[in-house]
Amino acid sequence: MTPFCRLRSHALPFLEDRVDTDVIFPARFLLLMQRGDMGRYFFHDRRIDPDGGAIDGNPFDDPRHAGAQIMLAGADFGSGSSREQAVWALTGFGIRCVIAESFGEIFAANCLRNGVLAIVQPRAVVERLAILESPLEIDLEAQTIGADGESIPFDIAPSHRERLLKGWDDIDLIMEHEGARIAVFEAQQRQVQPWLYGADA
Amino acid sequence: MSGRTLYRKLWDTHVVRDYGDGSALLYVDRHLLQETSTHQSFVGLREAGRVARRTETHLAVPDHGVPTTDRSAPIADGLAAAQVEALKVNARDFGIAHIDLDDARQGIVHVIGPERGFTLPGITLACGDSHTSTHGAFGALAFGIGASDCATVVATQCLVQQRAKTLEVRLEGRPGQWVGAKDYALALIGRHGTGFATGHAIEYRGRAVDAMTMAARMTLCNMSIEAGARVGMIAPDETTFAWLEGRPHAPRGKMWEHALDYWRTLPSDGDASYDRTIELDVEGLAPQVTWGTSPQDALSIEGRVPHPDDAPDRGEAERRRRALDYMGLAAGMALQDIVIDRAFIGSCTNGRIEDLRAAADVAQGRRVSSRVRAIVVPGSTGVKRQAEAEGLDRIFLDAGFEWRHSGCSMCVAMNADRLEAGERCASTSNRNFEGRQGRGGRTHLMSPAMAAAAAIAGHLVDVREMAS
């Protein structure tokens, strides 16, 4: 996974509340099995009309936001379904950091698994960032958002921060460091809940 | 030391390593797999040359995109067919048990997990589907995950997880006739908002919960995710044990007795405390329906579509305006005046035999409105056969409902079961999001009895009046 250290980019503002993963990535595209090209389905039904034409005025195709790697969002962003395709579409579109009032929990976990930094900020801050003309500067090491000369601090769990900074993959990390602990756990659990280890478990 | 909650007991007994910042490496006892969320997991596992750590802890079944009409022919949709086939191949290559589409055990993951006794009290259970919270009804710590985490579970049997805060939801009082778990879930979300439980594990308690059947408990826990919580749980009790005994994967004989002793230690201790508590008195609660595009847009059937300007803040007012526009409704109209085109009875929320019995009670001797196309989709093939043995299929067919094979169907609209743009549906599913049941489709969430009543009346209606 690509490590996340610093990011300097304009932001794509989309401050609707309770944007669920069905809106981010409509379910009918879940039938596609290739991960490569999912950016084109990012907010598909807000960008493309049923006849295949572009929907005017949508922020995702607004030239002013072209190339944005940071997205600004409202409350409960990414709530609903656990589909990781929503995050693959987001990264496929070029976004590496989302700043929102709050996140759906599974979506936030999926962001972490894909090297996407999800930052929680009060609504007033998100709204202020949305009207800035200068780029934002995210510094994960320092846990700050640089905005027009101002430095706004943000919180992140230390283990999440480390994973993103180092670009660690969970499976590698667990297999490399925790194999012995897992084996000990299983041996103990087998004593307490032996029915979980039956032949037809 | 003060007492521990059910959630905390399950968390503590599954920590492999505590990272000290509220997160831990958590052991996952059981993993359910469906076709749409796991293909990329196996792509990654193959690339890295990984194998399954404990093959016997996984169970795979296709449910999301499967057809519910004819099952004798190959799946017509090439993409869906490829996904169903890929799941079978992935399961075979990794040594994981797989239930095929034509197998009598097939069904929605969250219906068959409990049905098989694969879901048990005291376990951690993960699945690449947000409604995995359903299994919390058995006193399991069950939560939805993404495709990356599915791969991690297969390879390591563990996940890095953040410990949640605890939220006690107390349901007290005795409900009236035709009011139950779906109405409780919608009322809670309607009153407190879809984000009210974000960051929390819900434990449902109280007299109304004690009195609930397992099916009703599953409905309630299922919709925890709509309240923002990944986890919703109910302590196991005699109702739970009676339901599980004799299920294919449940322990037997002496091992059953041993398991019972262990499971009886799981309920929250008397002096356990929760980070938050909310209460709902179900006495006098009316059947609930949604009017908008978020589950929190839930109101009593006696109500009216709200005015956006009455919203508590500007963001919510804008969201409501957008929802009214999408739903094609006018503020102030009576909910019972909302005319429908379709009705859907099924899903992991309301596709169990008890749900179908409730809908059949309403449908018996009545006719579906000539303007409505109504389908009943059992949650599993087992539920379908049980319903047929009880004659429920006849009741539905005689009333003009279509009787289908099991699957997620019109809850996620990945197969042919979907709404056309502008069509309006009375649905027993869990999400009324924009486009959820088909692009431009309009969803009103409600209980099985209410959806059956709406199908018959041709508009949203109070089932208590129709059935009395």
Side-chain angles (χ1 to χ4, degrees):
Chain A
M1 207 162 65
T2 319
F4 189 110
C5 303
R6 285 165 192 276
L7 181 64
R8 184 184 154 86
S9 166
H10 279 89
L12 165 67
F14 189 71
L15 300 194
E16 274 181 33
D17 287 337
R18 314 199 193 294
V19 172
D20 54 80
T21 52
D22 275 84
V23 172
I24 299 173
F25 189 91
R28 62 187 184 278
F29 302 123
L30 292 173
L31 289 171
L32 303 169
M33 290 197 285
Q34 301 308 319
R35 181 169 161 179
D37 202 22
M38 288 191 172
R40 57 193 286 211
Y41 305 109
F42 187 54
F43 282 90
H44 181 278
D45 292 356
R46 296 295 186 90
R47 296 165 65 198
I48 314 284
D49 69 27
D51 301 321
I55 296 175
D56 290 340
N58 84 75
F60 305 97
D61 298 305
D62 185 332
R64 287 176 301 169
H65 307 312
Q69 297 179 69
I70 299 170
M71 182 169 173
L72 302 172
D76 266 350
F77 185 70
S79 53
S81 152
S82 60
R83 63 191 67 163
E84 198 160 320
Q85 285 89 341
V87 177
W88 298 335
L90 181 116
T91 55
F93 189 77
I95 306 290
R96 294 218 55 207
C97 171
V98 185
I99 305 173
E101 192 181 343
S102 59
F103 289 93
E105 269 180 57
I106 305 176
F107 179 82
N110 286 337
C111 282
L112 183 65
R113 297 335 186 209
N114 287 276
V116 174
L117 174 61
I119 299 176
V120 174
Q121 287 289 314
R123 179 147 200 115
V125 173
V126 181
E127 285 182 349
R128 208 164 74 225
L129 297 178
I131 53 168
L132 283 184
E133 299 211 341
S134 54
L136 304 179
E137 201 154 348
I138 312 292
D139 185 338
L140 178 54
E141 187 93 52
Q143 293 181 221
T144 55
I145 305 165
D148 205 16
E150 189 187 356
S151 179
I152 303 163
F154 64 85
D155 287 330
I156 181 170
S159 59
H160 292 182
R161 178 167 160 273
E162 192 176 15
R163 271 184 167 64
L164 287 167
L165 283 171
K166 305 231 163 102
W168 278 338
D169 172 85
D170 271 9
I171 301 184
D172 289 342
L173 206 62
I174 295 168
M175 296 201 62
E176 200 170 318
H177 301 289
E178 316 293 0
R181 284 191 184 87
I182 298 170
V184 168
F185 176 91
E186 286 170 341
Q188 286 171 347
Q189 192 190 43
R190 192 190 279 265
Q191 299 299 313
V192 182
Q193 299 182 75
W195 55 91
L196 298 182
Y197 289 80
D200 70 343
Chain B
M1 187 175 139
S2 70
R4 289 185 301 166
T5 60
L6 167 66
Y7 173 75
R8 190 58 197 262
K9 289 181 189 182
L10 266 78
W11 175 271
D12 287 348
T13 51
H14 288 88
V15 169
V16 172
R17 182 176 182 184
D18 193 332
Y19 295 115
D21 65 348
S23 69
L25 187 66
L26 206 66
Y27 195 81
V28 178
D29 296 320
R30 293 289 181 267
H31 180 214
L32 287 160
L33 299 88
Q34 45 94 350
E35 78 276 22
T36 67
S37 61
T38 53
H39 185 60
Q40 286 296 329
S41 322
F42 288 106
V43 168
L45 289 167
R46 275 199 188 87
E47 275 172 10
R50 312 269 189 221
V51 296
R53 181 181 176 87
R54 281 181 66 201
T55 54
E56 75 277 18
T57 64
H58 312 273
L59 181 61
V61 65
D63 61 3
H64 271 57
V66 303
T68 60
T69 46
D70 188 10
R71 287 259 169 100
S72 60
I75 301 176
D77 181 331
L79 292 172
Q83 258 184 358
V84 167
E85 180 62 21
L87 181 69
K88 188 198 286 191
V89 171
N90 288 330
R92 185 192 64 206
D93 290 356
F94 283 78
I96 290 171
H98 172 263
I99 294 174
D100 224 333
L101 192 54
D102 59 1
D103 193 300
R105 299 167 298 166
Q106 187 271 341
I108 304 172
V109 272
H110 309 310
V111 178
I112 69 149
E115 215 171 71
R116 306 298 306 157
F118 185 81
T119 307
L120 293 171
I123 65 168
T124 46
L125 184 151
C127 173
D129 189 279
S130 60
H131 288 103
T132 306
S133 56
T134 309
H135 307 265
F138 292 83
L141 174 49
F143 51 91
I145 56 178
S148 297
D149 281 356
C150 291
T152 306
V153 171
V154 171
T156 72
Q157 213 65 43
C158 292
L159 286 173
V160 179
Q161 288 295 297
Q162 208 57 32
R163 196 177 76 226
K165 293 178 182 157
T166 50
L167 170 60
E168 177 189 36
V169 174
R170 293 201 72 89
L171 300 179
E172 300 290 359
R174 278 175 47 169
Q177 205 190 356
W178 302 108
V179 175
K182 186 64 165 285
D183 304 297
Y184 307 163
L186 289 173
L188 284 164
I189 298 162
R191 289 172 196 190
H192 299 282
T194 51
F196 86 87
T198 302
H200 291 75
I202 298 177
E203 182 181 342
Y204 299 97
R205 308 176 75 193
R207 260 163 298 182
V209 177
D210 297 339
M212 287 164 95
T213 63
M214 287 315 297
R217 293 179 188 187
M218 285 187 257
T219 301
L220 186 60
C221 289
N222 173 279
M223 288 197 65
S224 301
I225 186 70
E226 272 61 64
R230 249 174 134 169
V231 169
M233 317 171 80
I234 294 170
D237 61 8
E238 296 310 314
T239 303
T240 321
F241 306 143
W243 198 93
L244 277 174
E245 191 169 8
R247 304 257 166 195
H249 290 280
R252 294 170 185 281
K254 277 211 164 87
M255 201 62 104
W256 172 257
E257 297 302 323
H258 188 172
L260 279 182
D261 288 344
Y262 179 77
W263 294 340
R264 290 197 168 109
T265 68
L266 296 174
S268 297
D269 298 326
D271 57 344
S273 63
Y274 297 82
D275 293 300
R276 274 168 68 202
T277 293
I278 62 170
E279 285 187 39
L280 176 72
D281 186 352
V282 304
E283 192 99 33
L285 186 72
Q288 304 285 302
V289 296
T290 63
W291 59 268
T293 56
S294 164
Q296 72 179 16
D297 299 332
L299 290 170
S300 295
I301 184 62
E302 299 147 337
R304 289 176 178 276
V305 176
H307 287 272
D309 295 337
D310 296 338
D313 59 63
R314 191 158 44 88
E316 175 63 7
E318 278 169 28
R319 190 195 65 77
R320 285 189 189 177
R321 251 186 288 278
R322 190 180 162 84
L324 282 182
D325 181 51
Y326 181 87
M327 294 297 289
L329 296 174
M333 74 183 287
L335 293 170
Q336 302 205 41
D337 289 341
I338 296 175
V339 174
I340 61 160
D341 311 294
R342 306 283 292 268
F344 168 62
I345 295 169
S347 84
C348 64
T349 311
N350 281 129
R352 298 182 184 79
I353 189 69
E354 292 84 345
D355 299 312
L356 302 195
R357 287 179 192 143
D361 274 351
V362 177
Q364 180 137 39
R366 296 190 172 91
R367 285 291 303 172
V368 170
S369 161
S370 60
R371 56 163 295 120
V372 175
R373 183 173 175 196
I375 65 172
V376 183
V377 184
S380 71
T381 303
V383 169
K384 181 171 191 280
R385 291 190 177 173
Q386 173 72 27
E388 287 166 353
E390 295 178 18
L392 304 186
D393 58 326
R394 275 315 335 156
I395 294 173
F396 286 123
L397 287 165
D398 289 348
F401 289 84
E402 294 172 37
W403 179 245
R404 299 290 189 89
H405 290 283
S406 74
C408 297
S409 180
M410 211 195 271
C411 174
V412 69
M414 287 180 62
N415 64 1
D417 309 338
R418 59 178 70 169
L419 301 179
E420 297 300 322
E423 276 191 322
R424 191 182 294 287
C425 183
S427 180
T428 66
S429 53
N430 41 58
R431 288 178 176 147
N432 51 350
F433 298 155
E434 272 181 38
R436 174 77 181 186
Q437 293 192 293
R439 186 169 188 174
R442 294 157 171 168
T443 304
H444 296 274
L445 303 177
M446 61 197 75
S447 71
M450 283 287 285
I456 289 154
H459 56 86
L460 304 195
V461 67
D462 191 335
V463 65
R464 296 173 301 181
E465 288 166 20
M466 177 183 278
S468 64

